[in-house]
Amino acid sequence: MNDRTGRIDVGILGATGTVGQQFVRLLAAHPWFRASWLAASERSEGKRYSEAATWRLGGQAPADAAGAVVQACQPGRGPRLVFSALDASAAADVEPAFAKAGHVVVSNARSFRMQPDVPLLIPEINPEHLALITRQRRERGWAGAIVTNPNCATVVAAMVLGPLRTFGIRSVIVTTMQAVSGAGYPGVPSLDIVSNVIPRISGEEEKIESETQKILGSMTDGAVTPHAMVVSAHTNRVPVIDGHTETLSIGFDERPSPSAIRKALEEFRGRPQTLSLPSAPPQPIVCLDADDRPQPRLDVDLDHGMGVTVGRIRNCPVLHTKLVALGHNTIRGAAGAAVLNAELLASERIIEFD
């Protein structure tokens, strides 16, 4: 069902949490989508959103959302297109139930990312992977579908590596400095993170290593063949509010110069830019000249948090190239990524929502 402006009605599963609130904020003035159905756990069901959700973002909750009554996460209710901000434990059961009931679930959860018939999508990098939906529906018998976006740290690395595939990527070492907002709320205790670095984030290294190979992989006979590169990840939690900073060292089949790397990154455009999708940054990767950039405090909000910034592109004495990259973890790495995925679905009419 569409509203009188022609916008598509959408729902949000897990609307009261941190990522759910980002969905509410991003969709409040979206030109294509209208968040008409907000759903959460039993303890929130039946309450007004303003009562059920303690608003953790800047400003106030959008007025339309604040007055909405929170619904139960019940398949068959709500719009056909739903965004999932559920944690993985809930998503594992709830998302397939919604897909079976005919909903198209655009998910931020990790539960189905590595399933062979589920797209793990970055629209600029692997839009062709949406062909997996046909297989998904055939093999699972779903009237709906599940489409996922990657882990918040994977997005930054994959956005940088995607344009560099032309040089033949062989190996990558990535070290992350990840913001505390990536841990959700209440997240990391202050006495653990203030003036400190925590050199482990459970499960994060494995996600970066495997998800990046799937995203950069190729479609062959209705399946994704993972990219053959080897990825080694080190993950760290640092006392930054928003923005995951990553250092990458990359080995190639060729030996591209730093200027060739920069040219490939700056000239890169993907399907969202060709289609002028509402959430797509006009230039998805921006390279900075200053030798002390990017920095989260200065650069994380590039293009409303949807752009990735890169700096310090230089030769690596161990591999071939090293650089620094930064992306907004709760926007480009979470809610904003899912909204862009849905825009691609709607624009390409892979799934009809009318």
Side-chain angles (χ1 to χ4, degrees), residues 6-25:
R7 294 190 298 170
I8 300 168
D9 283 332
V10 303
I12 302 171
L13 304 174
T16 58
T18 304
V19 175
Q21 291 181 23
Q22 283 284 17
F23 277 121
V24 168
R25 185 183 66 82

Side-chain angles (χ1 to χ4, degrees), residues 45 52 58 91 111 118 122 139 141 150 153 163 201 243 305 327 329 335:
E45 182 184 355
S111 306
V118 175
I122 300 178
E139 295 182 355
I201 304 173
N329 53 295

Side-chain angles (χ1 to χ4, degrees), residues 122-137:
I122 300 178
E124 287 93 343
I125 305 299
N126 62 338
E128 69 277 7
H129 288 196
L130 285 176
L132 291 174
I133 292 174
T134 301
R135 174 184 170 189
Q136 182 186 126
R137 288 174 155 177

Side-chain angles (χ1 to χ4, degrees), residues 14-93:
T16 58
T18 304
V19 175
Q21 291 181 23
Q22 283 284 17
F23 277 121
V24 168
R25 185 183 66 82
L26 291 172
L27 294 170
H30 196 280
W32 293 8
F33 304 135
R34 182 175 74 98
S36 62
W37 190 75
L38 307 180
S41 63
E42 291 180 358
R43 66 176 177 272
S44 298
E45 182 184 355
K47 297 179 181 178
R48 294 204 176 276
Y49 186 77
S50 58
E51 300 169 349
T54 301
W55 192 252
R56 302 291 180 187
L57 308 181
Q60 302 293 319
D64 287 349
V69 176
V70 178
Q71 306 295 316
C73 292
Q74 182 177 335
R77 298 176 61 183
R80 184 159 193 244
L81 174 60
V82 294
F83 294 98
S84 175
L86 298 169
D87 62 37
S89 60
D93 295 324

Side-chain angles (χ1 to χ4, degrees), residues 42-207:
E42 291 180 358
R43 66 176 177 272
S44 298
E45 182 184 355
K47 297 179 181 178
R48 294 204 176 276
Y49 186 77
S50 58
E51 300 169 349
T54 301
W55 192 252
R56 302 291 180 187
L57 308 181
Q60 302 293 319
D64 287 349
V69 176
V70 178
Q71 306 295 316
C73 292
Q74 182 177 335
R77 298 176 61 183
R80 184 159 193 244
L81 174 60
V82 294
F83 294 98
S84 175
L86 298 169
D87 62 37
S89 60
D93 295 324
V94 174
E95 290 181 359
F98 269 78
K100 184 177 181 180
H103 299 274
V104 177
V105 183
V106 181
S107 174
N108 183 67
R110 69 174 184 269
S111 306
F112 293 91
R113 288 175 185 157
M114 295 305 295
Q115 292 293 308
D117 60 348
V118 175
L120 179 58
L121 185 65
I122 300 178
E124 287 93 343
I125 305 299
N126 62 338
E128 69 277 7
H129 288 196
L130 285 176
L132 291 174
I133 292 174
T134 301
R135 174 184 170 189
Q136 182 186 126
R137 288 174 155 177
R138 182 180 67 247
E139 295 182 355
R140 297 180 186 258
W142 289 345
I146 295 176
V147 175
T148 64
N149 55 268
N151 168 267
C152 51
T154 301
V155 170
V156 179
M159 282 287 290
V160 171
L161 295 171
L164 304 181
R165 283 177 289 189
T166 184
F167 301 117
I169 302 171
R170 299 176 58 184
S171 55
V172 181
I173 299 173
V174 55
T175 299
T176 72
M177 291 153 275
Q178 296 181 223
V180 292
S181 58
Y185 189 89
V188 185
S190 60
L191 288 178
D192 289 340
I193 194 63
V194 172
S195 301
N196 197 22
V197 172
I198 301 173
R200 179 180 181 269
I201 304 173
S202 179
E204 205 84 345
E205 293 173 354
E206 295 83 359
K207 293 175 198 172

